Each structure stands twice: as structure tokens, then as C-alpha cells.
Amino acid sequence: MFNIVLHEPRIPGNVGTIGRLAFALNCKLHLIKPYGFGEITEKEVRRAGLDYWYNLEVYEYENIEDFWQKHPLSSRHFFATTKTTNVYFEQELKEGDYFYFGREDAGLPKEILEKSLDTNITIPMTNNARSLNIANSVSIVCYEALRQNFLAFKS
């Protein structure tokens, strides 16, 4: 279906929650090191991911370059950030797309965002919040992608 890319995640519970979502939507989960915790086998990751974690299609990469060697950049790579005006639901999202999310404390680095300014996306907020929880953000974007492609997946 879709590809969820977490760049240097910091909180194991968020990774577990996103893994559970990825399983529910039949998405692949790509985790780019270094993590802000030990390994993805930690109890906190498994607890949030419940028993779904063991059936999840999850891949680990040593760094972003390692990831891009295996999944070259294209116009189908979308970078979630608060530093753009491109709203996520105004994009045409397709099966196989890659949705990148950055560290909980810093977001995606400027060097990554500059790779494709046209595919930087944001989730609008109507108040002065700095950001949303990463697991919520992943859910919002992935469910919009599902909404746009639901009939294709249903048949």
C-alpha cells in the first residue's frame, strides 16, 4: 500500500504505535537510525505495537543514504514538515508513495527537506501549536492516502 519512513525516531512508544497503524493499513514501515532508544525489539516498542509487531513489514537502515540507495528519491517521496504551505490533502497520493516523518524533537533536517520542496507537506493547525504528535501525524497522512485510493484497494 504505502511506505511510512521514520527518520531517527526518539520515542519507542511512538514507533510501536506507528507500527500498529502500519499493520492495520498494510503499509511498510522503514526505520532510519540512529534511534533515540536501543533497538526496536525493546519492550516499549512491542507493548505499543501489541502482537501486530511480529506480523509487520518493517525494515531498518543505518542512515538516510542507505535508505535512498534502496529507495531512490522521486516525486513520490513526501516530507512532512511545519515549514511549508503545501497541505497534505491537496496532494494526489498514490499506492507505493513514501511518507517521511522526522524526529519528535526536531522534525526532518533541512538537508532532507531541501531534496524536494515540491513534495514537502504539512498538516494545517488552526491554533498556535508548534506540531502534533508523530503518531497522530502519520495517522492523518496515511488515512488521507487511503481515502484517496480506497476504491482501488477495495476491489
Side-chain angles (χ1 to χ4, degrees):
M1 187 179 274
F2 306 106
N3 294 278
I4 299 167
V5 181
L6 302 184
H7 182 260
E8 300 181 1
R10 293 290 177 249
I11 302 172
N14 283 337
V15 174
T17 300
I18 293 165
R20 187 173 173 182
L21 170 77
F23 176 79
L25 293 180
N26 198 30
C27 294
K28 294 177 184 174
L29 179 59
H30 305 272
L31 302 174
I32 300 172
K33 297 178 182 179
Y35 307 142
F37 51 91
E39 297 297 320
I40 62 167
T41 55
E42 286 192 9
K43 182 173 69 173
E44 292 86 358
V45 176
R46 290 192 320 267
R47 182 177 22 197
L50 296 175
D51 55 339
Y52 303 112
W53 191 259
Y54 299 103
N55 297 311
L56 174 64
E57 199 169 340
V58 60
Y59 304 94
E60 294 182 271
Y61 305 87
E62 291 304 313
N63 52 47
I64 192 70
E65 289 78 19
D66 179 29
F67 177 77
W68 284 335
Q69 281 184 335
K70 295 171 177 95
H71 309 278
L73 280 173
S74 74
S75 63
R76 305 315 313 166
H77 290 237
F78 294 89
F79 305 97
T81 179
T82 59
K83 298 170 180 69
T84 187
T85 57
N86 299 330
V87 181
Y88 75 98
F89 54 76
E90 292 179 345
Q91 307 302 309
E92 181 182 351
L93 305 175
K94 299 179 181 179
E95 183 175 4
D97 283 352
Y98 291 83
F99 305 126
Y100 291 66
F101 299 86
R103 291 171 39 167
E104 292 92 338
D105 61 344
L108 288 168
K110 182 179 176 184
E111 304 79 50
I112 291 177
L113 295 174
E114 289 177 343
K115 293 290 183 185
S116 180
L117 295 175
D118 290 340
T119 59
N120 285 352
I121 57 173
T122 193
I123 299 168
M125 294 175 272
T126 59
N127 208 336
N128 293 325
R130 287 187 309 279
S131 64
L132 297 171
N133 173 276
I134 188 172
N136 291 338
S137 297
V138 173
S139 296
I140 289 167
V141 172
C142 287
Y143 270 98
E144 172 61 17
L146 175 64
R147 185 196 67 78
Q148 289 184 22
N149 294 276
F150 186 68
L151 293 178
F153 291 120
K154 197 174 172 185
S155 54

